[in-house]
Amino acid sequence: MNEVRIEFMTSAEISAAISEGARTAVLPLGAVEQHGGHLPLSMDADHADELAVRVASHLGGALVLPTVRVGYSPHHLGFTGTLSLRASTLESVCEDYCRHLAKDGFERIVMFSGHIGNHPVMRDFEVRLTAALAPLTVIVFSETEAILNAWRRAADSVASLGANVGGHADIAETSVMLALHPQKVRTDRFARGYIGKVDQQLLDRAFQEGIGAVSANGILGDPAGASERLGEACLEAVTSLIADYARTCGA
Protein backbone atom coordinates (compact mmCIF):
# COMPACT_ATOMS: atom_id res chain seq x y z
CA MET A 1 0.00 0.00 0.00
CA ASN A 2 1.35 3.43 -0.96
CA GLU A 3 -0.82 5.54 1.36
CA VAL A 4 1.17 7.27 4.14
CA ARG A 5 -1.49 9.64 5.51
CA ILE A 6 -2.83 8.04 8.67
CA GLU A 7 -6.26 9.66 8.36
CA PHE A 8 -6.84 7.63 5.19
CA MET A 9 -5.49 4.37 6.64
CA THR A 10 -7.08 1.84 8.98
CA SER A 11 -5.71 1.12 12.44
CA ALA A 12 -4.55 -2.30 11.23
CA GLU A 13 -2.71 -0.73 8.29
CA ILE A 14 -0.99 1.78 10.56
CA SER A 15 0.04 -1.00 12.96
CA ALA A 16 1.42 -3.01 10.06
CA ALA A 17 3.42 -0.01 8.79
CA ILE A 18 4.91 0.53 12.24
CA SER A 19 5.74 -3.18 12.50
CA GLU A 20 7.52 -2.90 9.17
CA GLY A 21 9.69 -0.01 10.36
CA ALA A 22 7.70 3.23 10.24
CA ARG A 23 8.95 5.10 13.32
CA THR A 24 8.62 8.73 12.17
CA ALA A 25 5.45 10.81 12.21
CA VAL A 26 5.41 13.92 10.03
CA LEU A 27 3.27 16.78 11.38
CA PRO A 28 2.51 19.56 8.86
CA LEU A 29 1.20 22.93 10.00
CA GLY A 30 -0.68 25.29 7.72
CA ALA A 31 -2.84 28.40 7.85
CA VAL A 32 -6.16 29.69 6.59
CA GLU A 33 -5.42 33.30 5.70
CA GLN A 34 -5.60 35.81 2.88
CA HIS A 35 -3.29 35.34 -0.09
CA GLY A 36 -4.06 38.38 -2.18
CA GLY A 37 -6.81 38.47 -4.75
CA HIS A 38 -5.65 35.45 -6.74
CA LEU A 39 -5.07 32.62 -4.25
CA PRO A 40 -7.48 30.92 -1.84
CA LEU A 41 -7.13 31.09 1.93
CA SER A 42 -6.25 27.38 1.90
CA MET A 43 -2.89 28.03 0.21
CA ASP A 44 -0.62 27.26 3.16
CA ALA A 45 -2.63 24.24 4.32
CA ASP A 46 -2.75 22.79 0.79
CA HIS A 47 0.99 23.39 0.49
CA ALA A 48 1.66 21.66 3.81
CA ASP A 49 -0.50 18.68 2.80
CA GLU A 50 1.65 18.03 -0.24
CA LEU A 51 5.00 18.73 1.37
CA ALA A 52 4.24 16.25 4.16
CA VAL A 53 3.66 13.36 1.77
CA ARG A 54 6.83 14.22 -0.13
CA VAL A 55 8.89 14.54 3.03
CA ALA A 56 7.63 11.18 4.28
CA SER A 57 8.57 9.62 0.94
CA HIS A 58 12.05 11.13 1.03
CA LEU A 59 12.67 9.98 4.59
CA GLY A 60 11.19 6.51 4.29
CA GLY A 61 9.74 4.77 7.33
CA ALA A 62 7.43 7.72 7.95
CA LEU A 63 3.69 8.32 8.17
CA VAL A 64 1.87 11.65 7.92
CA LEU A 65 -0.40 13.12 10.58
CA PRO A 66 -3.37 15.30 9.51
CA THR A 67 -2.37 18.88 8.75
CA VAL A 68 -3.10 21.45 11.45
CA ARG A 69 -4.89 23.60 8.92
CA VAL A 70 -5.44 26.82 10.90
CA GLY A 71 -2.27 28.45 12.20
CA TYR A 72 -0.96 31.60 13.84
CA SER A 73 -2.04 34.45 11.56
CA PRO A 74 -2.93 37.55 13.63
CA HIS A 75 -0.91 39.71 11.21
CA HIS A 76 -3.40 38.81 8.45
CA LEU A 77 -6.59 39.50 10.39
CA GLY A 78 -7.03 42.85 8.67
CA PHE A 79 -8.15 40.88 5.60
CA THR A 80 -11.61 39.33 5.49
CA GLY A 81 -11.90 35.62 6.22
CA THR A 82 -8.51 35.03 7.82
CA LEU A 83 -8.59 32.65 10.79
CA SER A 84 -5.98 32.57 13.53
CA LEU A 85 -5.13 30.45 16.55
CA ARG A 86 -3.45 31.90 19.59
CA ALA A 87 0.18 30.84 19.90
CA SER A 88 -0.66 28.89 23.06
CA THR A 89 -3.50 27.13 21.26
CA LEU A 90 -1.28 26.10 18.36
CA GLU A 91 1.27 24.73 20.82
CA SER A 92 -1.42 22.78 22.67
CA VAL A 93 -2.83 21.35 19.44
CA CYS A 94 0.62 20.15 18.38
CA GLU A 95 1.19 18.58 21.78
CA ASP A 96 -2.20 16.87 21.77
CA TYR A 97 -1.69 15.56 18.22
CA CYS A 98 1.51 13.83 19.28
CA ARG A 99 0.96 12.91 22.93
CA HIS A 100 -0.09 9.31 22.28
CA LEU A 101 2.22 8.43 19.41
CA ALA A 102 4.99 6.86 21.50
CA LYS A 103 2.66 4.18 22.82
CA ASP A 104 1.85 3.21 19.24
CA GLY A 105 5.52 2.68 18.45
CA PHE A 106 6.59 6.00 16.92
CA GLU A 107 9.98 7.31 17.98
CA ARG A 108 10.19 10.79 16.45
CA ILE A 109 8.12 13.69 15.15
CA VAL A 110 9.18 15.82 12.20
CA MET A 111 7.27 19.11 12.28
CA PHE A 112 7.31 21.86 9.65
CA SER A 113 4.99 24.59 8.41
CA GLY A 114 3.62 25.58 5.02
CA HIS A 115 3.03 28.99 6.61
CA ILE A 116 6.11 31.03 7.43
CA GLY A 117 4.11 32.98 10.02
CA ASN A 118 4.05 29.87 12.24
CA HIS A 119 7.85 29.81 12.45
CA PRO A 120 8.31 32.23 15.40
CA VAL A 121 5.75 30.30 17.43
CA MET A 122 7.37 26.98 16.56
CA ARG A 123 10.80 28.23 17.57
CA ASP A 124 9.36 29.43 20.86
CA PHE A 125 7.61 26.20 21.80
CA GLU A 126 10.18 23.69 20.47
CA VAL A 127 11.96 23.17 23.80
CA ARG A 128 8.70 22.89 25.76
CA LEU A 129 7.22 20.47 23.24
CA THR A 130 10.35 18.32 23.31
CA ALA A 131 10.06 18.02 27.09
CA ALA A 132 6.31 17.35 27.03
CA LEU A 133 6.53 14.61 24.40
CA ALA A 134 9.51 12.67 25.76
CA PRO A 135 10.59 9.96 24.97
CA LEU A 136 9.69 11.04 21.42
CA THR A 137 12.39 12.92 19.57
CA VAL A 138 10.90 16.21 18.32
CA ILE A 139 12.45 17.71 15.17
CA VAL A 140 11.15 21.18 14.26
CA PHE A 141 12.09 22.77 10.95
CA SER A 142 11.47 26.54 11.05
CA GLU A 143 14.14 28.02 8.79
CA THR A 144 12.40 30.96 7.14
CA GLU A 145 15.40 32.32 5.27
CA ALA A 146 16.32 28.87 3.93
CA ILE A 147 12.87 28.53 2.37
CA LEU A 148 12.94 31.99 0.82
CA ASN A 149 16.39 31.36 -0.61
CA ALA A 150 15.31 27.99 -2.00
CA TRP A 151 12.36 29.67 -3.72
CA ARG A 152 14.61 32.39 -5.15
CA ARG A 153 17.01 29.80 -6.54
CA ALA A 154 14.13 27.83 -8.05
CA ALA A 155 12.59 30.94 -9.62
CA ASP A 156 15.95 31.96 -11.06
CA SER A 157 16.73 28.49 -12.40
CA VAL A 158 13.36 28.09 -14.11
CA ALA A 159 12.54 31.62 -15.25
CA SER A 160 15.23 34.06 -14.04
CA LEU A 161 12.59 35.62 -11.79
CA GLY A 162 14.03 35.23 -8.31
CA ALA A 163 13.34 38.92 -7.68
CA ASN A 164 9.60 38.15 -7.73
CA VAL A 165 9.92 36.00 -4.60
CA GLY A 166 8.65 37.84 -1.55
CA GLY A 167 7.28 35.00 0.53
CA HIS A 168 3.54 35.53 0.39
CA ALA A 169 1.22 35.06 -2.62
CA ASP A 170 4.29 35.64 -4.78
CA ILE A 171 5.65 33.79 -7.80
CA ALA A 172 6.66 30.82 -5.63
CA GLU A 173 3.40 30.26 -3.76
CA THR A 174 1.35 30.95 -6.87
CA SER A 175 3.42 28.42 -8.81
CA VAL A 176 2.98 25.83 -6.06
CA MET A 177 -0.79 26.23 -6.29
CA LEU A 178 -0.64 25.99 -10.09
CA ALA A 179 1.19 22.68 -9.66
CA LEU A 180 -1.23 21.35 -7.03
CA HIS A 181 -4.65 22.89 -7.70
CA PRO A 182 -4.60 25.08 -10.83
CA GLN A 183 -8.38 25.47 -10.72
CA LYS A 184 -8.02 27.44 -7.48
CA VAL A 185 -5.78 30.14 -8.98
CA ARG A 186 -7.48 33.32 -10.26
CA THR A 187 -4.96 34.03 -13.00
CA ASP A 188 -6.83 37.15 -14.11
CA ARG A 189 -6.28 38.76 -10.69
CA PHE A 190 -2.50 38.71 -10.46
CA ALA A 191 -1.15 41.85 -8.80
CA ARG A 192 2.24 42.95 -7.58
CA GLY A 193 2.62 43.48 -3.85
CA TYR A 194 5.55 44.74 -1.82
CA ILE A 195 8.67 44.58 -3.97
CA GLY A 196 11.82 45.06 -2.00
CA LYS A 197 14.10 43.26 0.38
CA VAL A 198 12.28 40.72 2.52
CA ASP A 199 14.43 40.26 5.60
CA GLN A 200 13.86 39.67 9.28
CA GLN A 201 13.33 43.37 9.90
CA LEU A 202 10.49 43.52 7.37
CA LEU A 203 8.95 40.31 8.68
CA ASP A 204 9.14 41.60 12.25
CA ARG A 205 7.29 44.75 11.20
CA ALA A 206 4.63 42.67 9.41
CA PHE A 207 4.18 40.48 12.49
CA GLN A 208 3.92 43.48 14.82
CA GLU A 209 1.87 45.92 12.73
CA GLY A 210 0.04 43.58 10.37
CA ILE A 211 0.95 42.72 6.82
CA GLY A 212 -1.24 45.60 5.59
CA ALA A 213 1.37 47.96 7.02
CA VAL A 214 3.92 46.79 4.47
CA SER A 215 1.63 45.73 1.61
CA ALA A 216 -1.80 47.21 1.00
CA ASN A 217 -2.97 44.18 -1.01
CA GLY A 218 -1.45 41.63 1.37
CA ILE A 219 1.12 40.32 -1.13
CA LEU A 220 4.86 40.15 -0.59
CA GLY A 221 6.47 39.76 -3.99
CA ASP A 222 4.92 39.37 -7.43
CA PRO A 223 3.03 36.38 -8.90
CA ALA A 224 3.97 37.34 -12.46
CA GLY A 225 5.72 34.50 -14.25
CA ALA A 226 4.22 31.76 -12.08
CA SER A 227 4.04 28.33 -13.68
CA GLU A 228 3.38 24.70 -12.86
CA ARG A 229 7.01 23.88 -13.69
CA LEU A 230 8.26 26.45 -11.22
CA GLY A 231 5.82 25.18 -8.60
CA GLU A 232 7.24 21.68 -8.91
CA ALA A 233 10.75 23.07 -8.54
CA CYS A 234 9.73 24.94 -5.37
CA LEU A 235 8.07 21.85 -3.90
CA GLU A 236 11.12 19.70 -4.52
CA ALA A 237 13.48 22.32 -3.13
CA VAL A 238 11.59 22.74 0.14
CA THR A 239 10.98 19.00 0.49
CA SER A 240 14.74 18.45 0.28
CA LEU A 241 15.38 21.18 2.85
CA ILE A 242 13.03 19.62 5.38
CA ALA A 243 14.07 16.02 4.75
CA ASP A 244 17.79 16.84 4.88
CA TYR A 245 17.35 18.74 8.13
CA ALA A 246 15.37 15.87 9.63
CA ARG A 247 18.09 13.39 8.69
CA THR A 248 20.78 15.51 10.33
CA CYS A 249 18.66 15.44 13.51
CA GLY A 250 18.33 11.67 13.46
CA ALA A 251 15.19 10.97 11.44
Side-chain angles (χ1 to χ4, degrees):
M1 188 184 72
N2 294 323
E3 183 61 72
V4 296
R5 298 165 294 177
I6 67 168
E7 62 188 308
F8 302 124
M9 300 168 68
T10 67
S11 290
E13 289 165 350
I14 296 166
S15 294
I18 294 170
S19 296
E20 293 166 6
R23 295 289 187 273
T24 300
V26 178
L27 176 56
L29 309 186
V32 177
E33 63 180 29
Q34 71 83 23
H35 274 77
H38 64 287
L39 293 178
L41 273 66
S42 68
M43 169 68 222
D44 291 337
D46 291 344
H47 189 192
D49 288 342
E50 179 66 17
L51 285 173
V53 173
R54 292 179 182 231
V55 168
S57 177
H58 274 236
L59 291 175
L63 299 178
V64 175
L65 303 176
T67 298
V68 180
R69 298 191 67 79
V70 178
Y72 181 76
S73 304
H75 45 296
H76 291 278
L77 286 172
F79 294 85
T80 304
T82 293
L83 304 178
S84 182
L85 299 179
R86 287 170 290 177
S88 59
T89 302
L90 183 59
E91 179 177 350
S92 294
V93 169
C94 291
E95 180 179 341
D96 288 351
Y97 260 49
C98 302
R99 180 173 291 279
H100 306 289
L101 294 178
K103 74 175 181 58
D104 288 335
F106 288 99
E107 297 176 356
R108 67 194 65 83
I109 305 295
V110 174
M111 184 185 306
F112 72 90
S113 178
H115 166 48
I116 285 173
N118 285 332
H119 284 174
V121 177
M122 295 164 70
R123 288 192 286 266
D124 180 62
F125 69 50
E126 182 175 2
V127 172
R128 292 190 298 272
L129 200 64
T130 297
L133 295 176
L136 287 167
T137 297
V138 178
I139 299 168
V140 178
F141 179 86
S142 57
E143 302 295 329
T144 302
E145 193 61 34
I147 291 174
L148 292 174
N149 286 336
W151 283 348
R152 291 183 186 112
R153 288 192 297 269
D156 275 334
S157 67
V158 172
S160 300
L161 288 171
N164 282 7
V165 171
H168 191 73
D170 60 356
I171 189 173
E173 288 201 321
T174 303
S175 293
V176 166
M177 190 58 82
L178 285 172
L180 298 181
H181 305 292
Q183 74 281 4
K184 294 184 179 181
V185 181
R186 286 70 163 171
T187 54
D188 60 332
R189 300 182 192 172
F190 282 9
R192 175 181 292 188
Y194 168 84
I195 295 294
K197 185 177 181 181
V198 176
D199 55 15
Q200 195 57 53
Q201 183 177 1
L202 181 88
L203 292 175
D204 287 346
R205 183 184 174 202
F207 288 142
Q208 293 166 9
E209 302 177 27
I211 196 168
V214 298
S215 173
N217 64 2
I219 297 171
L220 300 179
D222 189 344
S227 68
E228 179 181 349
R229 181 179 168 219
L230 176 52
E232 184 61 34
C234 289
L235 286 164
E236 279 303 306
V238 177
T239 296
S240 294
L241 276 178
I242 298 168
D244 290 348
Y245 180 83
R247 288 191 194 97
T248 65
C249 296

